[in-house]
Amino acid sequence: MPHFYAECTENIRKEANLPELFTKVNQALAETGIFPLGGIRSRAIWLDTWQMADGKQDYAFVHMTLKIGAGRSLEDRQKVGEMLFALIKAHFADLMAQRYLGLSFTMEELDPVLNYRSNNVHSLFKTKG
């Protein structure tokens, strides 16, 4: 963990440039020092059917979610959330200046017991003593 999800309307697929956003998000999460590098993942969920507001404009939206494992302080979570939303708004600033666009972001802390994982990627990044 953490896992970053971007649900994005199909009408901005090219302009959203999600690969670039994911590069920025993954790097920013790694630089916090509070998440294991081997667990950082970003993914897109493209929406081909949606309606927004009154449906009379070519509206678009991106709703992003960061799912993290339990155990980080509220202060750390808030810092990460504010940092990521600033990064997200900067990434989409030009697109928002050109069209109707809704951006939203939420962070979810997963249950510490009912969260099952298996990952052999972490061993790649363990420091050998």
Side-chain angles (χ1 to χ4, degrees), residues 107-119:
M107 186 183 306
E108 297 176 7
E109 186 177 42
L110 300 177
D111 187 283
V113 176
L114 301 174
N115 182 16
Y116 307 93
R117 296 175 289 215
S118 179
N119 180 345

Side-chain angles (χ1 to χ4, degrees), residues 72-127:
R72 280 118 187 143
S73 70
L74 175 60
E75 180 182 30
D76 282 346
R77 287 180 283 151
Q78 190 170 6
K79 284 180 186 177
V80 168
E82 290 170 0
M83 176 269 299
L84 277 185
F85 197 54
L87 184 153
I88 288 163
K89 289 190 302 183
H91 178 82
F92 286 105
D94 290 341
L95 186 57
M96 188 169 265
Q98 298 168 17
R99 63 169 306 124
Y100 294 112
L101 176 65
L103 298 176
S104 56
F105 170 71
T106 187
M107 186 183 306
E108 297 176 7
E109 186 177 42
L110 300 177
D111 187 283
V113 176
L114 301 174
N115 182 16
Y116 307 93
R117 296 175 289 215
S118 179
N119 180 345
N120 66 0
V121 177
H122 290 291
S123 61
L124 247 152
F125 299 101
K126 287 196 177 178
T127 306

Side-chain angles (χ1 to χ4, degrees), residues 2-4 29 64-68 80 84 105-108:
H3 292 197
F4 183 78
L29 290 171
M64 292 144 286
T65 304
L66 182 68
K67 294 186 179 188
I68 64 170
V80 168
L84 277 185
F105 170 71
T106 187
M107 186 183 306
E108 297 176 7

Side-chain angles (χ1 to χ4, degrees), residues 8-84:
C8 192
T9 57
E10 182 68 39
N11 61 341
I12 57 170
R13 183 181 280 262
K14 182 179 178 188
E15 298 89 346
N17 196 357
L18 292 186
E20 181 180 298
L21 175 64
F22 293 164
T23 297
K24 294 173 189 175
V25 166
N26 284 25
Q27 181 177 350
L29 290 171
E31 289 174 357
T32 67
I34 63 173
F35 301 109
L37 184 59
I40 299 172
R41 298 181 193 139
S42 293
R43 66 198 75 156
I45 302 165
W46 290 103
L47 305 171
D48 64 1
T49 307
W50 74 93
Q51 183 165 338
M52 186 174 170
D54 61 8
K56 293 181 180 180
Q57 301 290 328
D58 185 30
Y59 302 117
F61 69 84
V62 185
H63 173 69
M64 292 144 286
T65 304
L66 182 68
K67 294 186 179 188
I68 64 170
R72 280 118 187 143
S73 70
L74 175 60
E75 180 182 30
D76 282 346
R77 287 180 283 151
Q78 190 170 6
K79 284 180 186 177
V80 168
E82 290 170 0
M83 176 269 299
L84 277 185

